Amino acid sequence: MFRYVKNLLFINNHDLTFTESAATYGLDDPGYSTQASFLDYDNDGDLDMFLINQSTPEYSRGKIEFIQLRNQKSDPSLENKLFRNDNGKFTNVTKQAGIESNVLTFSLGLSTADINLDGWPDIYVANDFKEPDYLYINNP
């Protein structure tokens, strides 16, 4: 059975210690996360966050042959997510930004860069198994 564990965020106290503050910032996501990247996706001067997750293990074994599973939505807590920084509190803007996941999304790697050199950061997600990688071009 899959067990949900919330993500942690350690904030530097500037005294050689850290304080776990994920819930305070709205980043205590319960998904099966593999990586996060902080980027200013909306070019407003503060750092937003893109989080990649994996699906449940049942879809990593055998069921991936069924192409129709790409249309099956995953548990929302297991989807890849984009969080916008709103004055220090992060808001999930995944759907508004057009970020999608399905039950075959097993994201393992994440990179952010201005791929098309238009001044806006884009997002590349590398997936495992038979799901293709995702390239999200920022469309402000």
Side-chain angles (χ1 to χ4, degrees):
M1 178 174 208
F2 185 74
R3 190 177 82 154
Y4 297 92
V5 179
K6 292 187 176 186
N7 289 334
L8 305 175
L9 174 68
F10 292 93
I11 300 296
N12 193 323
N13 295 321
H14 305 283
D15 63 0
L16 303 179
T17 67
F18 293 83
T19 300
E20 199 291 306
S21 304
T24 302
Y25 286 89
L27 293 176
D28 57 336
D29 188 80
Y32 188 40
S33 303
T34 53
Q35 189 177 347
S37 179
F38 287 87
L39 69 151
D40 186 8
Y41 98 98
D42 53 4
N43 279 346
D44 67 353
D46 59 19
L47 291 176
D48 310 295
M49 194 264 279
F50 193 84
L51 178 70
I52 59 173
N53 287 309
Q54 292 195 348
S55 188
T56 57
E58 69 182 282
Y59 294 105
S60 69
R61 298 179 194 95
K63 291 188 177 183
I64 59 177
E65 271 56 13
F66 301 109
I67 198 71
Q68 64 269 26
L69 289 176
R70 283 206 175 110
N71 296 323
Q72 184 175 330
K73 296 295 178 191
S74 64
D75 176 334
S77 65
L78 301 175
E79 296 175 346
N80 294 336
K81 297 179 182 85
L82 178 62
F83 292 90
R84 183 184 62 225
N85 186 340
D86 296 321
N87 299 314
K89 183 76 172 177
F90 289 82
T91 303
N92 186 335
V93 294
T94 304
K95 298 298 179 210
Q96 301 93 307
I99 306 298
E100 296 188 10
S101 300
N102 62 54
V103 296
L104 298 179
T105 301
F106 283 84
S107 298
L108 294 178
L110 169 64
S111 183
T112 58
D114 185 4
I115 299 293
N116 57 356
L117 303 175
D118 66 353
W120 294 84
D122 307 304
I123 301 168
Y124 183 82
V125 178
N127 290 307
D128 202 359
F129 303 113
K130 292 190 177 182
E131 182 67 358
D133 296 347
Y134 305 144
L135 174 60
Y136 295 106
I137 299 295
N138 199 334
N139 188 16

